[in-house]
Amino acid sequence: MPIPGVSVIFIRLPNPNALKAAVYSRYGPPEVVHISELKKPDPRPNEVLVRVHATTVNRTDCGFRSAEYVVSRLFSGLFRPKRPVRGCEFAGSVDAVGADVRDYTVGDRVFGYDDHRFGCHAEYKIMPQEGAMALLPECLDFVSAAALTEGSHYALCNIRAAKVKAGDTVMVYGATGAIGSAAVQLLKHLGAYVVAVAGTSHIELVKTLGADEIIDYQKQDFTKARHAFDIIFDAVGKSAFRQCKPLLKRRGIYLSTELGKHSENVLLALTTPLWNDKRVLFPIPVMRRTDAVYLRELALQGAFRPVIDRTYPFDRIVDAYRYVEARQKVGNVGITIVS
Ligand SMILES: NC(=O)c1ccc[n+]([C@@H]2O[C@H](COP(=O)([O-])OP(=O)(O)OC[C@H]3O[C@@H](n4cnc5c(N)ncnc54)[C@H](OP(=O)(O)O)[C@@H]3O)[C@@H](O)[C@H]2O)c1
């Protein structure tokens, strides 16, 4: 019974067994995502529970959320998503470890990548101890560390497939995306001569990434480049092998992050090595723990720093999705979960 003159305020205490996550239950536009509460998981013997401080919204998340390419449903669920939480990269601190975990202890600051189970758009994330995770390079904040892996592992995978070596002349088309901006830095670290292609407003940025030459595609036709290239890496999927072939040296290699206008790149990757001295490669990207350690080392050496375009608070993750899908982001879009 209310006591006259006394008002009662109900305060809902946070549930220690729950976590907040950005969830979706059907494929579609950014608006299918909303923040909800899920049960906080316990790590199994070989697992680590990470308190996620920052994550990103990237093109991988968008692709799986929208299922724009129907082929992605083979991995994420034919009719509806099997996993309700997207997000493939994270940075945070170890909150709990399973009984068999020897490589991490509670309080370690870590970053990592998981495009099998996703789940990084949440306050907590389970990682297997042998997953693609490493100690956070102390020179980076949580948002930058969270962005260390997605774009760079696509770049790394392509660079390794093409066996880039010091002195190679490489064109990076789309040098300002998450993949392109990582590719320019990783290629410079390997000693390649890098010609970057970018739009007028991003020329200064691309210079800071270390490109040796820059082609402004809004003012100049990139196919009139004055070099012959060992490798052309289209990091935004806007070119075609047919268009780039004349620019390649003998035994030159064309790489693209997209299937191509007519989905031709996979077929070309199978056929060009048979009859053509200029080849298309279309490697399947993988990210291992050793790759996370390698990226950490590069960050510590100052050889690789992810470009951060902007950062959104967790409760505005739908806006982040909308921005990334405008296809004009520069580098990476961060999400802060612990501010
Ligand atoms: N297969 C997969 O699972 C997978 C996963 C991730 C990404 N991808 C694909 O990989 C590509 C790159 O992803 P991302 O995240 O690095 O891209 P992104 O960050 O979305 O790339 C945006 C950048 O592309 C540049 N750009 C736009 N139109 C251009 C054009 N006509 N020529 C040159 N640059 C142009 C813009 O820079 P300027 O203003 O300088 O032009 C912008 O900064 C995307 O096509 C994406 O779909 C595929």
Side-chain angles (χ1 to χ4, degrees), residues 52-307:
V52 179
H53 287 241
T55 179
T56 63
V57 169
N58 52 51
R59 296 291 293 269
T60 303
D61 300 323
C62 294
F64 280 100
R65 192 218 63 235
S66 66
E68 175 190 358
Y69 293 109
V70 179
V71 71
S72 72
R73 294 179 184 232
L74 295 177
F75 305 96
S76 59
L78 271 188
F79 302 107
R80 54 183 61 248
K82 283 188 284 195
R83 297 182 188 278
V85 185
R86 295 251 72 87
C88 54
E89 51 185 354
F90 66 90
S93 52
V94 173
D95 193 71
V97 294
D100 297 342
V101 171
R102 299 284 171 267
D103 299 345
Y104 299 96
T105 53
V106 171
D108 281 350
R109 289 147 64 94
V110 291
F111 73 97
Y113 186 79
D114 184 355
D115 66 355
H116 292 288
R117 299 193 296 183
F118 288 83
C120 303
H121 292 165
E123 289 177 316
Y124 292 88
K125 157 87 184 133
I126 288 279
M127 279 295 282
Q129 113 166 291
E130 62 287 349
M133 178 166 65
L135 294 178
L136 187 132
E138 292 304 328
C139 54
L140 297 185
D141 59 21
F142 282 116
V143 171
S144 298
L148 269 170
T149 56
E150 194 255 359
S152 67
H153 98 286
Y154 290 118
L156 202 54
C157 178
N158 279 279
I159 289 168
R160 285 177 176 160
K163 300 187 171 66
V164 176
K165 55 188 185 314
D168 281 349
T169 304
V170 184
M171 173 185 280
V172 179
Y173 188 93
T176 53
I179 303 173
S181 59
V184 172
Q185 296 178 76
L186 299 176
L187 286 162
K188 282 312 300 170
H189 178 69
L190 292 173
Y193 187 87
V194 178
V195 178
V197 182
T200 311
S201 54
H202 299 138
I203 300 300
E204 287 309 311
L205 166 71
V206 181
K207 274 187 201 162
T208 67
L209 300 177
D212 296 285
E213 283 182 42
I214 300 163
I215 295 175
D216 178 345
Y217 73 86
Q218 288 167 320
K219 293 186 177 156
Q220 193 187 339
D221 179 355
F222 82 97
T223 63
K224 304 276 189 308
R226 60 192 179 86
H227 291 280
F229 293 92
D230 296 287
I231 293 137
I232 296 179
F233 179 20
D234 181 350
V236 287
K238 302 278 184 191
S239 70
F241 175 55
R242 182 180 31 78
Q243 191 184 21
C244 294
K245 204 170 149 188
L247 297 179
L248 288 170
K249 291 180 187 171
R250 196 164 167 267
R251 307 197 66 74
I253 291 171
Y254 174 80
L255 303 152
S256 175
T257 54
E258 287 281 347
L259 293 170
K261 198 172 171 193
H262 307 290
S263 301
E264 70 276 17
N265 286 335
V266 174
L267 189 62
L268 286 169
L270 295 171
T271 55
T272 51
L274 302 176
W275 47 264
N276 203 319
D277 69 336
K278 298 176 183 181
R279 290 179 295 149
V280 175
L281 298 183
F282 200 80
I284 295 169
V286 279
M287 170 90 185
R288 299 188 183 87
R289 186 179 183 180
T290 48
D291 300 320
V293 172
Y294 175 69
L295 293 167
R296 174 178 194 272
E297 293 302 319
L298 292 189
L300 288 170
Q301 290 168 30
F304 175 47
R305 190 179 185 95
V307 173

Side-chain angles (χ1 to χ4, degrees), residues 143 307-312 316 319 323 330 332-335:
V143 171
V307 173
I308 304 296
D309 180 331
R310 52 173 85 172
T311 301
Y312 290 84
R316 289 189 55 212
D319 291 332
Y323 180 59
V330 175
N332 303 276
V333 171
I335 302 288

